[in-house]
Amino acid sequence: MKILIVGGVAGGASAAARARRLSEDAEIIMFERGPFVSFANCGLPYHIGGDIQVRDKLLLQTPESFLARFNVDVRVMNEVLTINRHNKTLTVKNLIDNVQYTESYDFLLLSPGAAPIVPPIAGIDNPLTHSLRNIPDMDKIIHTLEKNKPQHATVVGGGFIGLEMMEAFHQLGIKTTLLEMAEQVMTPVDKEMAGFVHQEIKSKGVDLRLGVALKAVGQLDDQTLRLSLSNDEKIDTGLLIMAIGVRPETQLAVNAGLDLGELGGIAVNEYMQTNDPFIYAVGDAIEDSDFVTGKPGLVPLAGPANRQGRMAADNIFGRNESYQSTQGTAICKVFDLAVASVGKNEKQLKKDSIEYQKVYVHTASHASYYPGAETVSLKLIYSPTSGKILGAQAVGKDGVDKRIDVLAVAQRAGMTVEQLQHLELTYAPPYGSAKDVINQAAFVANNILNGDATAIHYDEIDHLTDDQILVDVRNPNELESVGFIAGAINIPVDQLRQRMDELPKDKEIIVYCQVGLRGNVAYRQLVNNGYQARNLIGGYRTYLHAMC
């Protein structure tokens, strides 16, 4: 059997290694049009910023090491030009000597990845503007930094790469502006959760501009660009990074007559096959099914690409392994914060008209009395009918990855929020709490599902009517130190029983505290005494950061 693989990095390299483990007899050739076949592209910003100091640490495999370990013929600087499906051949161009040749295959696997989106902005094509996809891109950025020593850099796009590049420049002592056309960074999470990230970015002195797009680029001299923005402001900068997203590399597939999906990625079935049974495709170039909705999605993440590459190799050898959809589990470091998510966010669920409920908790990453505890802010989204987990988002300085990973497993296992209550997670004061963040979120969700709590959310607070009264049940010193919602009556929860007659029974009482816990205590006191009441889920902390 002869297997040809187009593209290395995550999907292609995983498929090549798996194919060799399954067969010593197969002939395996991998083509990569760049000079590197297997590298840690997620680590590129961290080398630029200096966290990863040795460049070679990013090179996971070389053509020589791949040959030695897996007996795979890796041909870097070889670009596949065309696929002849009828003859089952590829036309390949050696980019070093410009010689073209053909190579036959029994099975072909496409792993071309995705390319950065560069919009048609006037003046964008200049030597001070870069995108970041691979090691040559990284080298060009480092060269510009070393040659020009810019005092200011601008990053366009608040996704993973944009945030990581922003932090890298800040770490290098370069004043940085981050432009994001949307009203928030990190679109996998919802705006109120992104508010924690906005606050962190601003606290580091980064010039964060939301709801602002890059309109045009002018070059003042060989070291300075003048950026024109959609709000008619201008910025002079020494380096511009375009990080507004990626799109699937599909031209090779299109020219070969392979089907694309409705979102523009290569269409594959659950076995990673295209409409040609002898051609498989994996990674950022394909459309895969969403775990929650079953609809096609474009999810450019290394984890799914690696698993898909392995499964495609299995299926080439007749194993019939099916890919079990993509949850989109992801995490990003933003200075001292981690922000992570799994599943669908609220915006996506609204767009797909999927019914949901949500809860927020803000609790300690480990026992609060043990030194070093940090607040984990968690949003859990679930079905009000089945109780199944639709998505989750978390932000904090410690323990965020642990909670989202647990919820990713729980979601894939089909667990409900009722079952989340019973998760038995590790507890010792340095590592966790007797009631973990996840247990706490499940308790709140089940209170709502069982009718033991009636929720109100942050986006409803500014639209209360004359038939509602807002009551802050925190202590007065907290209002002075952290702020309050205008118009609220302050009755501390420990005084509520004695002062309850100050509140009218013919109006709905909206209670809130700092994170929602004391608010729930106050809510129960009120409803048990015949009042109509609701509790602000997530408390003032959620409300405050939703405004950031």
Side-chain angles (χ1 to χ4, degrees), residues 228-448:
S228 299
L229 309 183
S230 58
N231 59 2
D232 294 328
E233 294 182 359
K234 297 187 185 301
I235 297 175
D236 289 350
T237 193
L239 179 61
L240 177 61
I241 301 294
M242 298 300 298
I244 63 173
V246 296
R247 62 165 55 96
E249 289 264 25
T250 59
Q251 196 58 53
L252 188 64
V254 169
N255 292 344
L258 299 178
D259 290 344
L260 299 187
E262 59 187 75
L263 301 178
I266 301 172
V268 295
N269 61 19
E270 62 183 313
Y271 306 110
M272 314 315 298
Q273 278 178 311
T274 67
N275 56 300
D276 184 322
F278 299 101
I279 302 178
Y280 292 73
V282 300
D284 297 355
I286 72 163
E287 291 186 11
D288 45 19
S289 63
D290 181 82
F291 184 82
V292 174
T293 67
K295 294 182 178 180
L298 296 172
V299 184
L301 294 172
N306 273 283
R307 297 196 307 276
Q308 292 161 4
R310 175 187 171 92
M311 290 179 183
D314 281 346
N315 293 334
I316 286 172
F317 285 95
R319 293 205 169 193
N320 292 321
E321 294 282 342
S322 61
Y323 183 67
Q324 304 295 312
S325 302
T326 297
Q327 293 169 273
T329 313
I331 190 167
C332 185
K333 176 183 178 295
V334 184
F335 296 114
D336 297 327
L337 284 185
V339 53
S341 63
V342 62
K344 308 303 283 184
N345 59 39
E346 197 174 342
K347 300 185 296 287
Q348 293 165 332
L349 293 170
K350 285 180 179 177
K351 182 180 178 182
D352 290 335
S353 300
I354 296 174
E355 191 178 5
Y356 66 92
Q357 286 182 344
K358 60 183 177 180
V359 297
Y360 304 88
V361 293
H362 309 278
T363 190
S365 57
H366 60 248
S368 57
Y369 57 81
Y370 187 88
E374 298 284 356
T375 300
V376 175
S377 296
L378 176 70
K379 178 178 184 177
L380 179 64
I381 310 174
Y382 56 95
S383 167
T385 52
S386 69
K388 286 192 174 182
I389 302 161
L390 300 176
Q393 302 158 33
V395 182
K397 294 183 179 181
D398 179 57
V400 166
D401 53 343
K402 170 182 175 179
R403 273 69 189 204
I404 291 298
D405 282 345
V406 168
L407 287 170
V409 173
Q411 184 187 54
R412 185 162 288 276
M415 293 180 66
T416 65
V417 290
E418 193 280 329
Q419 292 170 318
L420 283 184
Q421 297 177 107
H422 308 293
L423 285 184
E424 191 171 326
L425 305 172
T426 55
Y427 165 56
Y431 302 109
S433 300
K435 290 187 290 186
D436 189 79
V437 179
I438 291 173
N439 300 125
Q440 295 271 34
F443 294 154
V444 177
N446 279 278
N447 280 342
I448 294 172

Side-chain angles (χ1 to χ4, degrees), residues 41-106:
N41 52 358
C42 295
L44 302 180
Y46 298 105
H47 179 59
I48 293 171
D51 294 300
I52 301 172
Q53 295 190 357
V54 180
R55 180 177 178 275
D56 286 353
K57 295 283 188 182
L58 300 171
L59 303 179
L60 306 180
Q61 292 281 353
T62 65
E64 294 75 21
S65 65
F66 233 106
L67 180 64
R69 180 166 296 180
F70 297 110
N71 192 25
V72 171
D73 179 5
V74 176
R75 301 179 186 177
V76 295
M77 302 302 292
N78 276 249
E79 181 178 8
V80 177
L81 301 178
T82 60
I83 302 169
N84 186 320
R85 291 167 52 193
H86 178 73
N87 294 333
K88 296 177 73 173
T89 60
L90 301 183
T91 300
V92 186
K93 181 180 181 180
N94 186 320
L95 299 179
I96 296 174
D97 57 19
N98 290 322
V99 172
Q100 293 188 19
Y101 61 97
T102 61
E103 201 72 58
S104 64
Y105 64 84
D106 293 308

